[in-house]
Amino acid sequence: MCEVGTRPPPAAERGEPPGGAAAAERCRDMGEQPIFTTRAHVFQIDPSTKKNWVPASKQAVTVSYFYDSTRNSYRIISVDGAKVIINSTITPNMTFTKTSQKFGQWADSRANTVFGLGFPSEQQLTKFAEKFQEVKEAAKLARDRSQEKIETSSNHSQESGRETPSSTRASSVNGTDDEKASHGGPAEAHLKSENDKLKIALAQSSTNVKKWETELQTLRESNARLSTALQESAASIEHWKKQFSSCKEENDQLRGKIEELEEQCNEINKEKERNAQLSRRLQELETELQDKELELEELRKQGEIVPQLVSECESVSQQLQAAEKKNKDLEEKVRTLRTEVEESKHRQTNLKTELKNFLDVLDGKIDELQDFRQGLSKLGVDN
C-alpha cells in the first residue's frame, strides 16, 4: 500500500506527473487501483470547535476511491499539489450524509476528523454517495470474510489445544510404560517429536489468539471512536439544522423587511413624483402670478392716464359732433351738386341733339356747296 500519510518529495524530482496524477501513479504502483474519480471542494471540521468547516483546498481537487487488492480494503484519497488532504480508509461503520443538495460529509475515527465535500452539482453528489454505499458494502463483506477466517482458524487452534494435553498425557503414560517395559526405542522418539510439534502449534495458536484479540480490541475501540464521531456529527447536523432554521427565519424576516422597505421606497418615489408635480405647478403659478402682476402694473399705469383719455374723448366727441355737422352740410352740398350735375347732363343731351341737327344741316350745306363748286368748275371749263 502506498504511504499517503507522509509527504512525498516534489513530483519534478521524481520525474512523475504533478499533483493528484502522481499520487494515483504511486498508488497503482503499490497495488491500489482507482475505481471512481470525481472533483470537489474539500473541507475538514475545525478540531477546536467541532462545528465550523475549514477549507482544505483552495479550489476543486480530484477525489478518488482506491481499492487495495492485497489487503482487500478501500480508501478515499485526495491530493492538492504535493499535499495529501484526504486519506480515509472506508469501514462498514462509516456513513456518508447529504447535508444539502451539493454537500456531503463522513466521519473518520482513525483520522479523528470529519471530512466534507462540496460538489458542483447534485448529480455528482448522488454518484459519490452511491459509490460510498457500494464500497461500504464491499468493505463489510471483506470484514465478514476475514472474521469467518479468524473464527475458523481459532476453532482449529482450540481443537489442537484440546488434543495436545491428551496426547501429552498419553505420551507420558506410554513413556512410563515403556520405561517400565523397556527404557527407550523408536516409538518414544516419534512420540516426543509429535509432542514437540503439538507444543509449537499450541504456542502459535495462542499467539494468533492474542493477536486476534488485540485486533478485535482495536476494532472495538475504532467502532467506539466511530460511534462517538457519528454522534458528534449527528449533534453537529442538528446544530446546523437549528442554525439553518434560524437563518431561514431571519431570511424570511429580512425579506419581509425588504418588502416593507420596497413598499416604503415606492411610496417615497410616488411622493417625490407628487412633490415634483406640485413644484412644477407652483412654478407655473408663480410665473402666472408674475404675469398677472405685470398686467396689473400696466393697468395701474393705464389707470393713471384715464383722466387724460377722458378729456381727450370729450374733445374727440366735440370734434366728432362738429364733423357730423360738416358732414351734413357736405351731404346737402352733394345733393345740390348732384341736381346740378343732372341738370348739366340734361343740358348736354339737349346740346348734343342741337349739335347733331346743326351738323346735319351743315352736311347738307356742304353738299350743296360741293354741287355749287362742281357747277362753277363746269362753267369755267365751258368758258
Side-chain angles (χ1 to χ4, degrees):
M1 184 180 292
C2 66
E3 296 295 331
V4 180
T6 60
R7 184 172 181 175
E13 296 179 3
R14 301 190 307 271
E16 296 179 352
E25 291 292 334
R26 291 197 302 274
C27 291
R28 280 196 287 268
D29 293 338
M30 298 302 292
E32 285 184 300
Q33 295 294 329
I35 57 176
F36 181 81
T37 301
T38 185
R39 292 184 68 83
H41 290 272
V42 180
F43 299 86
Q44 287 187 5
I45 202 73
D46 190 354
S48 59
T49 61
K50 297 292 184 181
K51 294 180 180 179
N52 300 322
W53 290 106
V54 178
S57 62
K58 296 181 180 179
Q59 58 186 0
V61 295
T62 302
V63 182
S64 302
Y65 286 93
F66 279 87
Y67 172 65
D68 187 358
S69 58
T70 58
R71 295 189 180 185
N72 197 18
S73 63
Y74 297 87
R75 289 196 300 168
I76 299 175
I77 297 174
S78 179
V79 180
D80 186 8
K83 180 182 177 182
V84 178
I85 54 179
I86 298 179
N87 181 16
S88 177
T89 302
I90 300 176
T91 62
N93 296 323
M94 287 184 177
T95 302
F96 185 81
T97 306
K98 295 181 182 179
T99 58
S100 67
Q101 292 182 351
K102 298 181 182 180
F103 192 85
Q105 65 181 34
W106 78 96
D108 190 347
S109 60
R110 294 183 180 180
N112 194 19
T113 187
V114 180
F115 293 103
L117 296 179
F119 293 89
S121 63
E122 186 177 0
Q123 290 79 8
Q124 294 183 4
L125 173 60
T126 303
K127 290 181 182 179
F128 189 88
E130 292 175 352
K131 198 65 181 179
F132 193 97
Q133 188 65 27
E134 292 178 4
V135 171
K136 177 182 173 182
E137 295 294 333
K140 185 177 181 181
L141 291 174
R143 186 188 67 178
D144 294 339
R145 290 176 184 173
S146 63
Q147 286 181 355
E148 289 177 358
K149 290 181 182 179
I150 291 170
E151 290 175 357
T152 304
S153 60
S154 63
N155 291 330
H156 285 301
S157 64
Q158 289 176 2
E159 290 176 359
S160 62
R162 285 196 298 270
E163 290 174 358
T164 301
S166 62
S167 61
T168 306
R169 288 194 301 270
S171 63
S172 63
V173 171
N174 290 330
T176 54
D177 292 338
D178 291 336
E179 287 176 356
K180 291 178 182 179
S182 61
H183 299 283
E188 184 179 357
H190 178 69
L191 288 173
K192 284 183 178 180
S193 64
E194 291 291 331
N195 193 9
D196 292 335
K197 290 180 180 179
L198 289 172
K199 286 180 180 180
I200 291 168
L202 181 60
Q204 290 179 353
S205 64
S206 62
T207 303
N208 290 330
V209 168
K210 290 180 180 179
K211 182 179 178 181
W212 292 330
E213 287 178 353
T214 303
E215 290 183 355
L216 183 60
Q217 185 64 26
T218 303
L219 288 174
R220 286 176 180 173
E221 292 176 356
S222 176
N223 289 333
R225 289 195 298 270
L226 285 172
S227 62
T228 303
L230 185 61
Q231 291 176 359
E232 291 177 355
S233 177
S236 177
I237 290 170
E238 291 296 329
H239 176 71
W240 284 112
K241 284 182 179 179
K242 290 179 181 179
Q243 285 190 350
F244 177 74
S245 62
S246 64
C247 290
K248 189 176 181 181
E249 291 177 357
E250 290 179 359
N251 191 11
D252 293 335
Q253 292 177 359
L254 290 173
R255 283 181 179 175
K257 289 181 180 179
I258 288 169
E259 289 177 355
E260 292 177 358
L261 290 174
E262 286 179 351
E263 290 178 357
Q264 291 179 1
C265 289
N266 291 328
E267 292 178 357
I268 289 169
N269 291 327
K270 291 179 180 178
E271 290 294 331
K272 286 182 179 179
E273 290 178 357
R274 291 174 185 171
N275 292 330
Q277 292 177 357
L278 290 173
S279 62
R280 289 195 296 269
R281 181 59 181 166
L282 183 61
Q283 290 177 357
E284 291 176 357
L285 291 173
E286 287 178 354
T287 53
E288 289 180 359
L289 182 60
Q290 290 176 359
D291 295 335
K292 295 295 182 181
E293 288 179 351
L294 293 173
E295 291 179 358
L296 183 61
E297 187 68 24
E298 290 178 355
L299 290 173
R300 284 177 182 174
K301 291 179 180 179
Q302 291 177 1
E304 291 176 356
I305 61 174
V306 165
Q308 297 177 0
L309 293 174
V310 170
S311 61
E312 289 179 358
C313 286
E314 289 177 354
S315 63
V316 168
S317 61
Q318 291 176 359
Q319 292 175 3
L320 182 62
Q321 290 176 0
E324 285 180 352
K325 290 179 181 180
K326 290 179 181 180
N327 192 10
K328 288 180 180 178
D329 295 336
L330 291 173
E331 284 180 355
E332 290 178 357
K333 290 179 180 180
V334 168
R335 288 193 191 98
T336 54
L337 288 173
R338 283 180 180 175
T339 54
E340 290 177 356
V341 167
E342 288 178 356
E343 290 177 356
S344 63
K345 285 182 179 179
H346 183 67
R347 290 172 184 173
Q348 285 178 1
T349 52
N350 292 328
L351 289 172
K352 284 181 181 179
T353 54
E354 290 177 357
L355 181 62
K356 187 176 180 182
N357 292 326
F358 176 74
L359 290 174
D360 291 333
V361 172
L362 183 61
D363 288 333
K365 297 293 183 181
I366 289 169
D367 290 332
E368 290 176 359
L369 183 60
Q370 284 179 357
D371 292 334
F372 181 70
R373 282 179 181 178
Q374 288 176 0
L376 288 176
S377 62
K378 286 179 181 182
L379 288 174
V381 171
D382 290 336
N383 291 323

